[in-house]
Amino acid sequence: MFVKIPKLIQFFFPSIIWKKENSQKNIWLTFDDGPSPKATSFILKILKEEQIKATFFLVGQNIKKYPKLLYKIIDEGHTVANHSYSHINGWNSSNATYFNDIEKCQKFIPGNKLFRPPYGKVSPLQIRYLKKKYKIILWDVLSWDFSSKNTPKKIKHSVLKNTVEGSIIVFHNNEKSFKNVSAVLQEVIQELKQKGFSFSNSW
């Protein structure tokens, strides 16, 4: 399983933002799938304690269930972004269905046009269409916090080992990943700070 996307794949898809080159040792912490009452509340608590900002790629149907959590994320200074309405897989969907699902989610997202494809799956034709309207954000470091085969210890080691200047790190903001995220998130943030990294949510 890839923690870092191979550079060859990144080379062939230059329209996608895989990492953010900078000279200030900034990194981007991101959370996919929510909002989720248990997970989102925990994550926001840790981010507030550590005084850092993050980006939340949210699913429209979850925003519809928990609109107060959307506004709580925004009120606490974090960025919210589009992760489709129904967590749709671009490889298994017609273009029309895929684009409609994304636009349905965008109605909930104020102030930006950032999109992360669910599962990281998006076709070249879909990229060509979407890049006219959205910044397509994938990642440089995938925590694999959702895998039942992964332990908190392995997740922490993997994220710390692979994070470099400009990395976009993915954790998940859902019930499935909560056990792992709750075990490692604060330690990961603290150790990344010790390595001299700063956290940005500016795209």
Side-chain angles (χ1 to χ4, degrees):
M1 57 186 187
F2 292 126
V3 173
K4 295 181 80 73
I5 302 294
K7 289 189 176 180
L8 184 63
I9 294 176
Q10 296 185 37
F11 175 80
F12 280 113
F13 296 97
S15 299
I16 292 174
I17 298 173
W18 304 93
K19 61 186 294 192
K20 294 268 290 177
E21 300 295 346
N22 68 96
S23 59
Q24 299 173 326
K25 218 170 179 185
N26 286 335
I27 56 177
W28 280 256
L29 183 60
T30 69
F31 297 92
D32 285 5
D33 295 358
S36 160
K38 188 175 180 180
T40 304
S41 298
F42 171 81
I43 291 166
L44 289 174
K45 173 179 173 289
I46 298 301
L47 297 178
K48 182 176 282 188
E49 287 177 6
E50 296 299 328
Q51 298 184 334
I52 66 169
K53 303 303 180 188
T55 301
F56 290 75
F57 288 89
L58 301 176
V59 173
Q61 60 189 9
N62 292 335
I63 297 174
K64 192 172 182 180
K65 286 182 192 174
Y66 309 111
K68 289 182 180 178
L69 285 174
L70 169 70
Y71 296 115
K72 184 172 174 59
I73 294 168
I74 295 168
D75 288 346
E76 295 192 6
H78 306 290
T79 298
V80 296
N82 189 328
H83 198 43
S84 82
Y85 184 82
S86 60
H87 207 261
I88 191 169
N89 185 330
W91 291 0
N92 296 336
S93 309
S94 71
N95 289 341
T97 299
Y98 190 60
F99 299 147
N100 286 338
D101 200 78
I102 294 165
E103 291 306 314
K104 191 173 179 181
C105 180
Q106 188 61 32
K107 293 174 183 177
F108 295 99
I109 305 297
N112 71 63
K113 294 290 179 68
L114 305 173
F115 171 65
R116 173 171 285 162
Y119 314 102
K121 294 181 177 179
V122 59
S123 74
L125 282 175
Q126 290 163 352
I127 292 170
R128 191 179 308 165
Y129 176 85
L130 290 168
K131 72 179 184 180
K132 297 173 185 176
K133 185 172 182 180
Y134 294 93
K135 287 184 180 179
I136 305 172
I137 316 291
L138 281 178
W139 55 78
D140 177 54
V141 179
L142 182 62
S143 69
W144 287 89
D145 53 353
F146 53 86
S147 172
S148 59
K149 297 178 182 178
N150 236 344
T151 64
K153 184 177 180 180
K154 286 181 180 177
I155 292 166
K156 178 182 170 182
H157 174 77
S158 179
V159 172
L160 292 175
K161 177 184 176 183
N162 288 285
T163 298
V164 297
E165 186 177 285
S167 283
I168 300 170
I169 305 166
V170 182
F171 281 95
H172 285 78
N173 176 24
N174 57 28
E175 295 291 324
K176 182 179 182 181
S177 304
F178 181 72
K179 182 178 178 181
N180 283 331
V181 172
S182 61
V184 302
L185 180 61
Q186 191 155 27
E187 290 182 7
V188 166
I189 291 170
Q190 289 173 348
E191 293 196 31
L192 287 170
K193 283 181 175 179
Q194 289 169 11
K195 288 172 175 263
F197 292 111
S198 298
F199 294 81
S200 176
N201 64 332
S202 175
W203 296 94

